[in-house]
Amino acid sequence: AQTVTQSQPEMSVQEAETVTLSCTYDTSESNYYLFWYKQPPSRQMILVIRQEAYKQQNATENRFSVNFQKAAKSFSLKISDSQLGDTAMYFCAFAFNDYKLSFGAGTTVTVRA
Amino acid sequence: ETGVTQSPTHLIKTRGQQVTLRCSSQSGHNTVSWYQQALGQGPQFIFQYYREEENGRGNFPPRFSGLQFPNYSSELNVNALELDDSALYLCASSRRPSSTDTQYFGPGTRLTVL
């Protein structure tokens, strides 16, 4: 079974600064997918970024980027130039070659004005 | 393009009752997955429906059941409700049952069991 661990329950960051969220996972598979999802206080979960394990290049989406370390089974998310709208719960998730998403417990990010 | 919608928004039931939650998938999507999110935790996969058939199930008892209709909307039914069933229930739709296709989530149904 795959497990996803997010060790930071809460993070706080000043507007315009950078924050990095940690995620580790455990799997014996070699091909898989990793995701970061954002759940704002309004509750609708939104995909932030996705990484395919077979790709060595780290994924980026505008101000969001990941540091994927396959050997260490680590998948951190960096939010640059933080904005008030980034305030949300962030979930790291894992999927094998199917569809079932396995989520971590989440990290609450608060951006301070 | 209409996104994923869920109804009702909130629901209060008592132990032992039965509940039905509904999900309308995004246009063009034939796959619906259901997740249970307990307070302060990450979502847990319940099951997935693809073209009206159950296409995989998580570690949930048989009293959690579902349906998918020809228009790809879906229902989640929970029988014999227990206090621990209190949670936010999320559905997500995608074009295919594959990790290469993004799952789009609905806003959820908050179920409270008293």
Side-chain angles (χ1 to χ4, degrees):
Chain A
Q2 289 78 30
T3 58
V4 179
T5 302
Q6 294 179 249
S7 58
Q8 305 152 312
E10 296 181 12
M11 299 281 284
S12 181
V13 61
Q14 195 72 32
E15 199 174 8
E17 307 231 318
T18 295
V19 63
T20 300
L21 311 183
S22 300
C23 173
T24 58
Y25 58 94
D26 184 27
T27 182
S28 57
E29 306 295 341
S30 58
N31 282 335
Y32 49 87
Y33 300 82
L34 294 161
F35 308 82
W36 279 98
Y37 275 87
K38 169 185 177 182
Q39 189 176 39
S42 64
R43 300 181 302 176
Q44 198 136 6
M45 192 93 70
I46 306 165
L47 177 66
V48 174
I49 199 164
R50 169 172 48 207
Q51 175 81 41
E52 289 88 349
Y54 64 86
K55 290 186 178 179
Q56 293 187 341
Q57 187 172 5
N58 289 322
T60 61
E61 286 287 342
N62 301 315
R63 298 180 295 106
F64 298 88
S65 61
V66 298
N67 183 4
F68 173 47
Q69 301 289 329
K70 191 172 184 179
K73 296 181 182 175
S74 169
F75 182 61
S76 61
L77 174 70
K78 184 170 78 172
I79 307 174
S80 303
D81 185 25
S82 296
Q83 301 176 359
L84 296 178
D86 295 334
T87 292
M89 177 83 88
Y90 287 81
F91 292 99
C92 178
F94 172 102
F96 185 33
N97 64 353
D98 50 8
Y99 42 80
K100 167 189 168 184
L101 289 169
S102 297
F103 287 88
T107 297
T108 300
V109 172
T110 302
V111 181
R112 306 186 310 273
Chain B
E1 184 178 84
T2 307
V4 179
T5 60
Q6 293 186 244
S7 62
T9 305
H10 296 90
L11 205 51
I12 299 175
K13 292 286 188 178
T14 56
R15 238 178 351 172
Q17 286 190 312
Q18 177 266 342
V19 69
T20 298
L21 310 182
R22 295 178 176 82
C23 172
S24 291
S25 59
Q26 189 163 312
S27 176
H29 290 188
N30 58 23
T31 303
V32 173
S33 301
W34 286 92
Y35 294 84
Q36 180 196 65
Q37 186 178 11
L39 196 61
Q41 297 182 24
Q44 299 290 317
F45 175 75
I46 303 175
F47 45 53
Q48 182 185 80
Y49 278 83
Y50 171 56
R51 293 184 175 179
E52 303 179 59
E53 298 284 333
E54 186 178 291
N55 190 44
R57 190 178 185 90
N59 191 25
F60 280 81
R63 58 189 185 84
F64 286 78
S65 63
L67 281 174
Q68 187 177 35
F69 301 98
N71 66 354
Y72 303 128
S73 66
S74 177
E75 285 183 355
L76 164 64
N77 299 292
V78 187
N79 293 323
L81 283 167
E82 301 177 0
L83 297 179
D84 285 349
D85 295 333
S86 294
L88 181 68
Y89 288 84
L90 299 169
C91 80
S93 74
S94 57
R95 289 181 305 160
R96 298 178 297 161
S98 166
S99 296
T100 58
D101 276 73
T102 299
Q103 293 192 34
Y104 293 86
F105 283 81
T109 293
R110 172 73 64 189
L111 173 65
T112 301
V113 182
L114 302 177

